[in-house]
Amino acid sequence: MKVLNQYSALALLLLSQSIANAESGINQATASMFSQQEQQSTQDDLWGDDWEEEDETLSPWQSSGFVELGYGRFSQNNVTPSQQSMAEIRTQLALKYVADWGNINSKTDLLVDDVTAQTEFDIRELNLTLNVIPDTDVTIGRQVITWGTGDYLFLNDLFAKDWQSFFAGREDAYLKAPNDALRILHYQNGITFDLVYAPEFTADNYLNGERFSFYSPMTKSIIAPRNFPVTTTDKEQFSARIKTTINSIEYALYGYKGFWTTPTGQLTEGVNAGKSYFPSLISYGASIRMPFMGGLFNAEFASYNSTEDSRGTIPTIANGQLRFLLGYEQELFTNFTGAFQFYLEKTKDYNAFKASAPMPDLIVDEHRQVLTARFTHLAYQQRLTTSLFAFYSPTDKDAYIKPSITYRVNDQWQYSAGANIFLGDKQHTFFGQHQDNSNIWLRARFNY
């Protein structure tokens, strides 16, 4: 309660400061319009050439950051330890050093989290990029990497994701978790070769009961365990992409060797028997993206090969999958954009999977389908953004709706509100299991 009072006090302070800034800006606007030209002319006369010389000397250092207050709450009782989905103060400092030979990037967050009752120091980026080799960029260190063509649907992008941030209503940038990796980008004859090597596997920040509940097939109920037993691995990951654009059509090929990024397996032997783990995974795929009928069309394919169970007969290891995606985005009218996707997920060796499943009535459909729609409207010189993203699965008969509204007062102040709404007929389906995780959220941010 003490922490919440502090949040409330800070929120009032942020709001009052913003209103004061706005009123002050209106009162001063007229006077400043007439005085700026005169002042500028006088300064030019005073400083003359010296001022121009100073202007040319730019610092190689760039910095930015923000302070953000976030609060969210479940719309119904949940079995989680807290009924708050988000209650935090976050501050970020970003530094960049730019030189002829490359650059250094860092983004560091300090998070005071009342849901987990922890204060975290999170280095989201700390990397060195070198461009000393012709047509080649080499980046080493902690970095956020993403590729593929899907919108909130990831086929060939197997870099770590933060699903807890996504469901809590944090900014979309936090859906992409950082990876410790070496990335080499080489450009040759219009073709981009992109290789990523991670010496140690990075898993998703998946749901584990700490903040959100989920369905347990063992107990056939919604749970939020205080201790979700998972054993991980420190082995390496490889990702590769080859991309080119011909006649305005972007083509890409992908490859991945590593592990499922969520714990889709369960150990049955050894000292860790009973614990969930990350089975090995090899995947490959392709995508295209192109202008079409005034909009942008994309298609993507991926084949997931669960190499520890190539025949699909082991019920404690996820079966391989084939994933397909079709998407289209277009501005429907001025400042109003619509985007639509169709996603198909086919489970490989489905008959063997069904025959070996201990609870066949709970298994996923062989051809799971998901439809998505995104509508975005910009108003007031694009300072007000209203968005609605919706997932609907006709095979699972469940849905996930993400409405949000963001108002940017000026370059410093920004306010956002939204919700995460889960619907479904059954407790065990992909979105249906999260109905108790439905929540509403608010955020206030000051950029500096």
Side-chain angles (χ1 to χ4, degrees), residues 23-65:
E23 292 177 345
S24 175
I26 293 171
N27 294 332
Q28 296 173 4
T30 304
S32 63
M33 286 175 59
F34 291 104
S35 62
Q36 281 175 356
Q37 288 184 347
E38 183 179 350
Q39 291 174 1
Q40 186 61 52
S41 175
T42 303
Q43 289 172 352
D44 288 344
D45 291 339
L46 289 174
W47 297 103
D49 294 338
D50 293 340
W51 179 259
E52 293 177 2
E53 289 175 3
E54 285 187 16
D55 230 0
E56 293 174 356
T57 306
L58 299 177
S59 170
W61 291 97
Q62 301 170 12
S63 66
S64 61

Side-chain angles (χ1 to χ4, degrees), residues 19 46 49-50 60 69 107 124 126 128-129 131 134 138 190 210 276 336 345 356 372 387 400 417:
I19 293 172
L46 289 174
D49 294 338
D50 293 340
L69 173 69
K107 284 184 181 177
R124 287 188 55 79
L126 181 58
L128 168 68
T129 298
N131 51 24
V138 178
E210 180 183 58
S276 297
F336 186 85
E345 181 181 286
S356 62
T372 79
S387 175
Y400 174 25

Side-chain angles (χ1 to χ4, degrees), residues 201-271:
F201 168 68
T202 303
D204 289 354
N205 187 15
Y206 48 86
L207 307 191
N208 57 11
E210 180 183 58
R211 189 183 300 268
F212 297 105
S213 58
F214 57 90
Y215 181 78
S216 167
M218 302 297 292
T219 63
K220 293 189 175 180
S221 63
I222 301 298
I223 64 171
R226 301 296 183 270
N227 179 27
F228 184 42
V230 175
T231 182
T232 187
T233 176
D234 57 359
K235 295 184 178 177
E236 57 199 8
Q237 291 173 285
F238 297 91
S239 302
R241 178 181 67 167
I242 301 174
K243 187 177 74 171
T244 190
T245 300
I246 303 174
N247 296 330
S248 301
I249 303 175
E250 177 192 280
Y251 302 89
L253 298 173
Y254 308 87
Y256 170 81
K257 183 178 184 300
F259 305 87
W260 290 84
T261 54
T262 54
T264 56
Q266 187 173 40
L267 296 169
T268 56
E269 299 178 350
V271 295

Side-chain angles (χ1 to χ4, degrees), residues 34 53 93 107 119 140 207 259 316 330 374 409 437:
F34 291 104
E53 289 175 3
L93 175 63
K107 284 184 181 177
T119 299
I140 184 169
L207 307 191
F259 305 87
T316 55
Q330 185 175 20
R374 177 194 286 273
V409 180
N437 291 327

